[in-house]
Amino acid sequence: MRLRQYGPSLALFDQLLAVNAGDADVLFAKGEVFRVRNEGDDVTQALDCYARAIATGQAPPEAYRSTGFIHQRRRDYPAAKPFFERYLDLQPTADDAEAIRSYISEGARGA
């Protein structure tokens, strides 16, 4: 993915999901590819991957943060807030915790 070879990354994740459709880490990684590529319906695909990862109960905390980022980008601050808050619940000392808190505050002012 770092090489921006999105197609091969998605193909690999699809192969892994064919073996274990509920692998939260792979679902999250696939969502990241869609979010970063951001073409066509990629945002919808990313949200679906994140939701499926979160539904497993084993999603990495970053799945919540990335979902929040998508809603924030859409200027849907009320939708972003609970995802950012959940991320901070799971990662209160994350390197980006202060930035996420500021996004929540900005959203509260902009909503």
Side-chain angles (χ1 to χ4, degrees):
M1 190 168 109
R2 288 187 181 125
L3 298 174
R4 297 183 187 250
Q5 295 179 354
Y6 304 120
S9 295
L10 290 171
L12 172 62
F13 296 143
D14 285 340
Q15 289 175 352
L16 294 170
L17 291 169
V19 175
N20 181 2
D23 187 316
D25 291 320
V26 175
L27 287 165
F28 166 69
K30 185 176 178 181
E32 287 292 274
V33 172
F34 285 124
R35 183 179 66 83
V36 171
R37 185 175 70 177
N38 194 27
E39 296 176 0
D41 72 341
D42 282 353
V43 171
T44 302
Q45 294 283 348
L47 287 173
D48 178 64
C49 288
Y50 298 144
R52 289 171 49 205
I54 289 168
T56 69
Q58 301 296 314
E62 293 79 10
Y64 295 92
R65 180 186 63 195
S66 291
T67 302
F69 283 150
I70 289 174
H71 291 301
Q72 180 189 37
R73 188 180 324 149
R74 292 176 163 178
R75 298 191 187 283
D76 187 352
Y77 303 114
K81 182 180 178 183
F83 289 101
F84 285 149
E85 289 174 337
R86 182 64 179 144
Y87 171 68
L88 292 174
D89 288 344
L90 297 170
Q91 296 286 99
T93 61
D95 290 342
D96 61 352
E98 286 306 311
I100 299 298
R101 286 184 188 93
S102 74
Y103 299 152
I104 293 169
S105 295
E106 290 170 16
R109 289 191 302 266

